[in-house]
Amino acid sequence: MMLFRLLLFLLIIPIPVFSQIQLADNFEYVAPDSNLQVLKLDREVQPQEVKTLLHEFIPSKSANPNLGINKFSVWVAFSIQNLSNRSHYLLDIAYPLLDDVELYDVDGTGQLRSLAHLGSFQAFKHRTYQSTNYIFDLHLKSTETKQYFLRVKSSEQIILPIAVGKPDIVWERLWKENILLGLFLGVVLIMAIYNFFLFLSVRDSAYLYYVLYISFLGLTQLGIVGFNFQFLWPNSPEWESISVVLFACLSSIAVLFFSNQFLNLRANAPIIRKMLFVLLVLFVISFLLMIFGYHQFAFELMQITTSLETAVLFVASLYVLKKNYLPARYFFIAWFILLIGALIFLLKDYGILPYNLFTSNSFRLASIIEMALLSFALASRINILKKEKEMSQAKELATSLDNERLIREQNVVLEQKVEERTSELMEANESLQATLTHLKETQSQLVEAEKMASLGQLTAGVAHEINNPINFVTSNVAPLKRDINMIWDTLEEVEHLAFNQDLSLSEKKSRIQAYKEEIDIEYLKTEVDFLLKGMSDGANRTAEIVKSLRIFSRVDEDTLKFADINEGLESTMVILNSLIQQGIEVKKNYGDLPLIECYAGKLNQVFLNVLTNAIYAINKKFVNKPGGVLKLNTGIEEDQSFIFISIEDNGIGIPANIREKIFEPFFTTKDVGEGTGLGMSIAYNTIAKHNGKIVVNSIIGEGTIFKLIIPIRQII
C-alpha cells in the first residue's frame, strides 16, 4: 500500500529532485554552482508545458553559465532548502542586459506559478527594487524546500550570474559594485572633459576622436550594468533595448578614427588603413540593422566586428611601433592591457574564472588604464609634433635671415623708386583732392536744392491746408459778434424791466416774452452754437495740421529715436492733402506696429518723395478724372524683426528698361522744372542708412508698388 501511494504521488507531481541550495543560519551569500538545470529549445514553450520536458533539463557546468545567443526563451531550474530561521531571501541576477526575466515556483497542485516578471521591456519604475540587477524575493518557511524555474530571453548574449543571499548582504555587494562603477564614471568624465579642453586649445582632431571614444565607451559600459536605463531614460524601454549596441558601434567607430589619426596610418600603414575602412562599414551596417529592428543579427555582427577590430588595432600598433614611430608605444601598451582586461572578463563569462568584483569589473579597470595611457600617448605625440615644429621653425628662421639680407639689398633700390613714385602720387593726390572738394560742394548744393524744392512743396501744401480752416474761423467772427451784441442788448432790456417798479410781475413777463419773440431768441441760440462749432472745427483742423507739420519736420532727425511710423505716414498725407485731387481715392490699412528705432524726419522725407511720385503717376494717367487709387499699407514682415510700408498706385507704371535707374542721382522722367532727379536717390540712401531695402514692382499702365522694409531695431 505504501509503495502504491508513493507511485501515485510521483505520477501526480512529476518534478525531478534537483540538487539543492541549502540555506543555513550562518549562510550569507552563495551562487547555485552546479545546482542549475538548463533547458534550451528551438521553440517557445508555455510554463505548464515545462513539466513535460523536465527530463530534457541539463545540469549547468558553471555557477555563471554563458548560454550564448538564443532566439527563444531559455529555462533554468534550481531547488532551495531553507534550514535557517530566516524566511526572506533575495535572488540576484547580476546581468542587466536580459530583455525578459520571469521567476516561477511550484504550487500545491504541481502547477508553475509566476512570482515576478521583470525585464527591459517595461519602464524601470515598475521593478520591485530600483536596482540595475534583477532582484526577486524568495519566501521560504523554515525547513521548507521549493523548486524554482527561471525563464530568460534576450536578443543579446544570455549570461546568468545567479546568486541567493540575505537582503543586507545583497545590497552591500551591490553598493561595493556601484562604488567601482562610480570610480569608472569619474575617470571617464575627467578624461573626456580634460581632453576636450585640450582639443579646444591645440585643435588636433585626434583629441576630439579620443573624447568621443571614451564618452561612448563609458555610455556602453554604464549601459551594460543598467545605469543608463536607471538614471538617463527609465521610461524608454525601446531605446534601452538598442542603446548598448548603438553606443558600442559609435565607440568602435570613434576609436577607428582616433587610431587612424594618432598612428598616422595614411603614411605608416596604408594597407591596415584600408582594413579599418572595412571595419567602419561593418560597424555602420550593425548600427543600421539595430535601428531597423534586426537586434540579434546586429548584436552578432557587432561582436564579430569588435573582435576583428581588437586584433587589427593590436597588429597596427605593433607594426607602427616597429617603424620607430614613438607615439605608438603608449598605444600598444594601452591596447595590450585592454586585451588582458577583456580576456579576464570573457573567461569569467564562460565560467573559467570565478565571478567576483575583480573579474566582473576587469574590463572597466583595464579601460581606465587604457584611457590614461592613451591620454599620455596624445601628450607624447604633441611633444613630438612640437619638436618637429621647432626644427621647422629653425629652418624657416635661417631662410628668413637669407631673405632679410636680400630684402635689405633691394630696399636701397626700392626706396629710390618709392621717392620718385611718391612725388608723382602727391601731385596726383593734390589734383584729386581739389576735384573731390569741388564734387562735395556740388553734391551739397544739389541736396540743398532738392531740400528747397521739397520745402517749397511743403510750404505750398501747408499754406493751402491751413488757409481753409482759418477762413472758416474768420468768416464766423462777424456774425458771432453781431449775435453776442444782441445777447448783451437782451440782458440790458431784461435788467431794465426787472428793476421797473411801476410794472407788475405779469406785465414784466409779458414784455420780456414779447422782446424774446421780437429778436427770435431761439434762432439766436441755434446760430451761436452753429458759429462756435464751426470755429471749433476750424481751430481743431488747424491744430491737426500744425501737429502733422511738427511730426513731419522732426527737429531730432539726426538722432536715432523711437517713432510711430503710422503717425509719420499720416502726417505726410496731411501735408500732401492739397496735391490729392478730387478723383483720387485714398485707402489706408495701417497695421499694429511697435515703435521703430529710426531717423524719423528722414523717413518722413522718404514718404514725401515716394507719395509725391505716386500722386504724380496717378494724375498723369487720369488727368483729374475719377478712378485714381492710392493705397497705403503697413505691417510686420514674416521676419518679425522687420516692418514694411507699402505705397501702391494705379498710375502709369514704370517701364522695365528704366526700373533699375530710378534710384540713380539726377535720373528723372518728369518734365523740365518738375523734379531734380534726387528725390528717389535720397530715399534709397535713407533706407540703406536704416539697414533696410526698397522693393519695386510695376506694370506699365496698371500701376506701381513701392515696399519699404526697415528693421524694428538698429544694430550699430
Side-chain angles (χ1 to χ4, degrees), residues 324 336 376 395 401 559 639:
N324 294 323
F336 182 73
F376 295 153
K395 292 180 180 179
L401 291 175
T559 306
D639 182 347

Side-chain angles (χ1 to χ4, degrees), residues 383-587:
N383 290 332
I384 292 173
L385 293 176
K386 183 179 179 181
K387 290 180 181 178
E388 292 177 352
K389 184 178 180 180
E390 289 175 353
M391 293 177 61
S392 175
Q393 287 177 342
K395 292 180 180 179
E396 291 178 357
L397 179 61
T399 303
S400 65
L401 291 175
D402 290 338
N403 292 336
E404 183 179 357
R405 179 180 55 79
L406 293 174
I407 290 172
R408 282 198 301 269
E409 294 174 356
Q410 293 294 326
N411 277 344
V412 178
V413 178
L414 288 174
E415 286 177 0
Q416 295 176 353
K417 293 184 177 181
V418 166
E419 289 179 0
E420 296 174 359
R421 185 60 179 162
T422 300
S423 73
E424 294 176 1
L425 289 174
M426 289 180 65
E427 294 176 1
N429 186 48
E430 291 176 359
S431 175
L432 288 172
Q433 190 65 35
T435 304
L436 180 61
T437 302
H438 178 69
L439 286 174
K440 285 184 177 180
E441 292 175 355
T442 304
Q443 182 184 22
S444 298
Q445 293 173 2
L446 289 171
V447 171
E448 289 300 322
E450 176 64 20
K451 288 184 178 180
M452 291 303 294
S454 298
L455 181 61
Q457 184 181 36
L458 173 65
T459 304
V462 171
H464 182 274
E465 286 298 307
I466 292 180
N467 188 51
N468 289 335
I470 291 299
N471 286 340
F472 200 62
V473 172
T474 54
S475 64
N476 286 355
V477 170
L480 181 60
K481 184 176 181 181
R482 180 198 64 208
D483 291 344
I484 290 175
N485 288 332
M486 292 177 68
I487 291 172
W488 297 136
D489 292 341
T490 302
L491 289 174
E492 290 178 0
E493 181 64 22
V494 170
E495 182 181 6
H496 173 72
L497 292 174
F499 290 105
N500 191 342
Q501 298 179 355
D502 295 333
L503 299 175
S504 64
L505 182 60
S506 58
E507 288 177 333
K508 291 178 181 180
K509 288 182 178 180
S510 61
R511 288 191 181 187
I512 290 173
Q513 183 63 33
Y515 188 80
K516 288 169 64 177
E517 291 175 356
E518 178 183 349
I519 66 172
D520 197 356
I521 193 68
E522 294 301 328
Y523 175 77
L524 186 62
K525 290 179 180 180
T526 302
E527 186 178 36
V528 168
D529 289 341
F530 177 77
L531 293 173
L532 288 175
K533 182 178 182 303
M535 295 177 72
S536 176
D537 291 342
N540 289 336
R541 177 61 179 162
T542 303
E544 180 184 353
I545 295 170
V546 172
K547 177 184 177 183
S548 298
L549 181 61
R550 178 174 56 82
I551 293 171
F552 179 84
S553 61
R554 294 286 187 181
V555 296
D556 57 349
E557 65 175 1
D558 289 328
T559 306
L560 277 173
K561 294 288 183 67
F562 288 94
D564 187 338
I565 292 298
N566 291 337
E567 185 181 54
L569 190 59
E570 186 62 24
S571 69
T572 306
M573 287 301 297
V574 171
I575 301 302
L576 292 175
N577 191 50
S578 61
L579 294 181
I580 300 175
Q581 302 298 326
Q582 189 173 2
I584 299 178
E585 178 185 2
V586 180
K587 296 181 179 180

Side-chain angles (χ1 to χ4, degrees), residues 300-364:
E300 293 177 359
L301 180 60
M302 183 273 294
Q303 271 196 326
I304 295 171
T305 310
T306 301
S307 302
L308 292 174
E309 179 187 49
T310 304
V312 170
L313 290 182
F314 184 77
V315 172
S317 61
L318 183 60
Y319 177 78
V320 174
L321 182 60
K322 288 184 176 181
K323 297 184 71 172
N324 294 323
Y325 186 68
L326 295 182
R329 291 176 301 176
Y330 290 108
F331 189 95
F332 174 77
I333 298 172
W335 210 250
F336 182 73
I337 291 175
L338 187 67
L339 282 176
I340 294 176
L343 181 61
I344 295 173
F345 192 83
L346 288 175
L347 292 176
K348 175 267 300 178
D349 285 346
Y350 285 97
I352 300 174
L353 293 178
Y355 184 90
N356 52 43
L357 281 178
F358 173 72
T359 57
S360 61
N361 290 279
S362 60
F363 185 78
R364 284 182 281 275

